[in-house]
Amino acid sequence: MREDYTLSHARNRYLRCASFLTMTLPTPAEQLTYFRKQQNQIIDTIQQLVEIESPSDVKAALDRLGTVLTSRFSELGGKVRVHRAEKFGNHLEIRFKAARVSNSKPILLLGHTDTVYPIGTISKMPFRVAKARVFGPGVLDMKGGIALILHVIEALLGWNGGKLPRPVTVFLVSDEEVGSASSRAITEKLARESSGVLVLEPAAGSNGAVKTSRKGVGEYELCVAGKAAHSGLDFEKGQSAVIELAYQVLEISKLVDLQRGITLNVGKVKGGTRVNVVPAEARASIDVRITKKEDAAEVERRLRALKPVNPNCKISLSGGINRPPMERTPGVAALFTKAASVARELGWDLEEAAVGGGSDGNFTAALGIPTLDGLGVVGEGAHAEHESLLISELPRRAALLAGLITSI
Ligand SMILES: [Zn+2]
């Protein structure tokens, strides 16, 4: 009984405190106004992050960006832990405490610091503001998303007397564009201790849909070994690996099942040494996308079952599915419902989308942790010369993220 009394007493105190807190929080409309006023500062942050180029394969460059981000997050009071990676850039984990001691699990904000652009790209496609957009390498995917995290946390700290309304963990990986091999285990560990995961990858399409399902991604390589011969003197003694590969590519294309969302793309082929030599070697790189976890095993089995058409050639397969699909589980759907209601309060109908590309959200969703992706900025041209984001959408994205952190 005594315990019950203490508990209900504590709960009442909490509720009084919470309602007081709610009263002091700006309304959704006021939050939007706040972020509209912050728009130029957000753009300045994006510029700072974009002008430090950070391709996945240049550790020194990624660590330079990591140092800047460490100081930006530390200035806000975040506790930064640097996860050192030998071959990749270091990964950054930043923790923010809640306003009061609370048992609620943290929410995990997930992002990546690496881009697909080699060093020097910035001189060909410089950071610039034009036509109501911000252009530059990685503005959309996803330095704009990292800037949103910084400014939303800053705003929430201001509105809650220097603390956050709930515990928040930010995790920024440096190897997302190359498969997240070195960060995956940390992402999964942090996700397991969180109540939900918000991924700051760009939104889907120009109306800013969030992503509630993503395809799983795999990469395979098929190698063919034949026998070389002089194409003029000994043609009949050769066993062409290129011809064998051509047969295999056609077989692989038969595994595509658009209705089930299974695609296999032979995106790269290589073979032979010279025009007058029967090729002894050929290889193909295959990109695989699946929508259901169970399809991974089936695609794998069918690829492994490929047999050479020419019995004098040998084929071998390497690779596998490296990102499980992010499926629209009830947990994901509930998170979307929450996001849609936050958006409605901001006067907008938030849409959801299923996309073919994978992200680190695939890992966390596959663990059963509610995950919502595409909460970053809105724009077009990710990984392309015209990569850009829409400035007018920045305040709304920031307010949506602030509302979600507060309410889930
Ligand atoms: Zn990305």
Side-chain angles (χ1 to χ4, degrees):
M1 286 308 283
R2 173 77 198 152
E3 208 174 279
D4 279 347
Y5 167 78
T6 315
L7 273 177
S8 72
H9 185 67
R11 189 163 51 238
N12 286 342
R13 248 182 43 197
Y14 168 78
L15 287 174
R16 271 201 306 276
C17 194
S19 67
F20 170 72
L21 204 67
T22 321
M23 279 161 56
T24 59
L25 262 183
T27 64
E30 288 165 346
Q31 293 186 22
L32 256 183
T33 309
Y34 169 88
F35 286 118
R36 277 196 194 109
K37 286 188 189 144
Q38 284 289 307
Q39 198 169 276
N40 287 340
Q41 275 92 322
I42 300 175
I43 294 172
D44 287 346
T45 299
I46 298 171
Q47 177 168 14
Q48 181 190 30
L49 304 182
V50 167
E51 289 183 342
I52 306 169
E53 293 184 280
S54 54
S56 315
D57 56 350
V58 185
K59 176 173 169 60
L62 282 154
D63 288 347
R64 255 195 310 277
L65 178 59
T67 306
V68 169
L69 284 167
T70 297
S71 62
R72 290 288 306 254
F73 279 103
S74 300
E75 278 163 23
L76 296 175
K79 201 165 161 274
V80 182
R81 178 173 170 200
V82 177
H83 292 266
R84 305 210 175 270
E86 227 175 274
K87 291 188 195 141
F88 298 92
N90 298 330
H91 313 297
L92 300 181
E93 172 190 333
I94 308 111
R95 287 184 188 258
F96 288 90
K97 285 201 180 122
R100 69 196 82 79
V101 183
S102 88
N103 290 329
S104 68
K105 289 180 172 180
I107 192 89
L108 177 62
L109 306 184
L110 208 50
H112 63 87
T113 52
D114 61 328
T115 73
V116 296
Y117 300 98
I119 298 280
T121 306
I122 194 82
S123 59
K124 284 171 261 156
M125 49 184 282
F127 175 94
R128 68 193 166 95
V129 177
K131 301 179 203 147
R133 287 171 177 268
V134 174
F135 292 82
V139 285
L140 180 66
D141 186 11
M142 57 159 284
K143 290 178 174 175
I146 299 175
L148 285 182
I149 296 179
L150 279 163
H151 286 272
V152 165
I153 287 180
E154 182 186 51
L156 288 171
L157 290 168
W159 299 334
N160 290 286
K163 289 275 171 68
L164 291 185
R166 59 163 309 124
V168 170
T169 307
V170 179
F171 189 47
L172 303 175
V173 314
S174 69
D175 60 348
E176 196 273 346
E177 298 288 4
V178 288
S180 304
S182 95
S183 60
R184 178 176 182 171
I186 311 167
T187 299
E188 291 179 335
K189 179 185 162 280
L190 294 174
R192 278 198 190 95
E193 53 190 55
S194 303
S195 58
V197 182
L198 305 178
V199 188
L200 274 293
E201 290 285 353
S206 57
N207 47 3
V210 290
K211 299 166 183 173
T212 50
S213 79
R214 279 182 177 274
K215 284 192 175 182
V217 187
E219 203 181 313
Y220 290 86
E221 190 175 54
L222 184 79
C223 293
V224 181
K227 192 166 179 279
H230 190 298
S231 65
L233 301 176
D234 288 323
F235 180 80
E236 63 285 354
K237 289 186 186 156
Q239 307 291 345
S240 170
V242 165
I243 293 178
E244 180 61 34
L245 185 69
Y247 285 128
Q248 297 300 329
V249 170
L250 293 177
E251 284 304 307
I252 291 165
S253 72
K254 289 180 195 159
L255 306 183
V256 172
D257 187 338
L258 291 180
Q259 222 147 36
R260 289 168 61 201
I262 300 173
T263 62
L264 292 93
N265 179 54
V266 177
K268 225 167 78 184
V269 289
K270 227 175 129 183
T273 49
R274 293 176 178 278
V275 70
N276 57 354
V277 179
V278 176
E281 202 214 60
R283 56 188 66 227
S285 303
I286 312 152
D287 171 278
V288 175
R289 309 276 160 157
I290 50 171
T291 41
K292 296 249 167 273
K293 226 185 282 181
E294 312 80 83
D295 295 339
E298 186 190 320
V299 170
E300 169 99 16
R301 186 175 50 73
R302 296 183 71 177
L303 281 173
R304 301 255 170 226
L306 290 169
K307 295 267 177 302
V309 174
N310 173 355
N312 296 315
C313 284
K314 283 200 181 85
I315 61 174
S316 59
L317 185 80
S318 58
I321 299 286
N322 51 27
R323 285 184 202 276
M326 170 179 162
E327 297 185 40
R328 194 183 186 280
T329 59
V332 171
L335 211 45
F336 171 69
T337 304
K338 191 84 223 174
S341 87
V342 171
R344 210 166 300 122
E345 284 177 15
L346 296 166
W348 139 62
D349 279 332
L350 183 66
E351 292 172 22
E352 62 179 311
V355 294
S359 85
D360 287 340
N362 291 50
F363 300 139
T364 61
L367 294 175
I369 314 297
T371 299
L372 197 60
D373 201 339
L375 284 160
V377 295
V378 182
E380 62 178 11
H383 300 191
E385 217 169 304
H386 62 293
E387 177 162 344
S388 63
L389 66 84
L390 277 169
I391 294 173
S392 60
E393 289 290 329
L394 286 172
R396 221 157 66 157
R397 302 310 283 188
L400 174 63
L401 183 60
L404 269 171
I405 293 172
T406 310
S407 61
I408 53 177

